[in-house]
Amino acid sequence: MTTSRRLSLTAALGAAVLLPVLLTGCGGSAQPAPTATGNAVSPTAAVTTAAPTPSATATAGAAAASCEDLIGSDILADLKAQNWTYKEDVFAVAGETLEGGITCTWADYSVASGNLLLFGWAPITAEEADAAVNRLESQGWTREEAAEGYYVTEDATQSPTTDEDGYGMTYEFGDGWVTVADTKQGLLLIQRPAS
């Protein structure tokens, strides 16, 4: 594992300390599970390559997607070495579930530490993406252009955890796909399913 990749994982793990509050809505559970709370929604996302027919291709890729496939083998090995496991859930954006998507919440569920990482991916049509972004922006999220599409990030004052650049939970929208992570920096760890 490269030093920069290890630093990204370390930063992502360190930034995840408060995410359980965002996902569970309360601190009473020893094993937090993703749920919709306030401005945030159950995590989602992992990016997949654009295809001529996004919905058909993305759905085929989604069938093969798993929580262990959404991250690189070196990151997976690091998480397992720390006794981290995942809970799999549907992919939702602003309260709307996307068919064929997956959200993975990684943590050491044997202890109530509150540390976790969130990764997700889903296929999405242009119409679904527009509607999702409109819902997020109406809740105070901010859109920012990117090389392959655009990011939509939660207001940092509302986010329980942020990365070193001040970004909290972030969705990345591309041509036929959307990914999500607990921080914008966390999106770098996601491997989109092959189409």
Side-chain angles (χ1 to χ4, degrees):
M1 171 182 281
T2 65
T3 301
S4 63
R5 198 94 193 236
R6 188 171 304 279
L7 289 174
S8 292
L9 176 60
T10 302
L13 287 171
V17 171
L18 296 177
L19 191 56
V21 174
L22 174 67
L23 296 176
T24 63
C26 65
S29 174
Q31 296 184 2
T35 57
T37 61
N39 287 343
V41 182
S42 291
T44 56
V47 179
T48 169
T49 348
T53 52
S55 57
T57 305
T59 301
S66 76
C67 288
E68 292 188 359
D69 293 334
L70 285 183
I71 54 178
S73 58
D74 51 348
I75 303 299
L76 178 62
D78 282 351
L79 292 174
K80 287 185 172 186
Q82 296 176 49
N83 296 317
W84 283 40
T85 57
Y86 61 87
K87 289 187 178 181
E88 183 179 320
D89 203 351
V90 297
F91 190 104
V93 180
E96 296 293 322
T97 300
L98 295 176
E99 292 298 318
I102 184 174
T103 298
C104 308
T105 306
W106 285 85
D108 180 352
Y109 290 105
S110 67
V111 297
S113 70
N115 294 323
L116 61 87
L117 291 172
L118 175 80
F119 303 110
W121 169 89
I124 193 168
T125 65
E127 295 78 19
E128 289 171 329
D130 288 343
V133 171
N134 288 336
R135 287 191 308 271
L136 290 169
E137 288 181 322
S138 73
Q139 297 173 5
W141 293 55
T142 305
R143 179 177 169 155
E144 180 182 332
E145 296 304 313
E148 286 191 74
Y150 50 93
Y151 299 104
V152 181
T153 303
E154 183 177 25
D155 179 350
T157 63
Q158 301 297 313
S159 185
T161 185
T162 58
D163 61 23
E164 61 189 32
D165 296 320
Y167 289 93
M169 181 178 271
T170 303
Y171 291 91
E172 183 179 9
F173 291 85
D175 185 10
W177 54 263
V178 58
T179 57
V180 69
D182 52 318
T183 64
K184 183 179 178 185
Q185 196 172 57
L187 292 168
L188 298 173
L189 303 177
I190 296 173
Q191 294 189 147
R192 290 174 288 173
S195 54

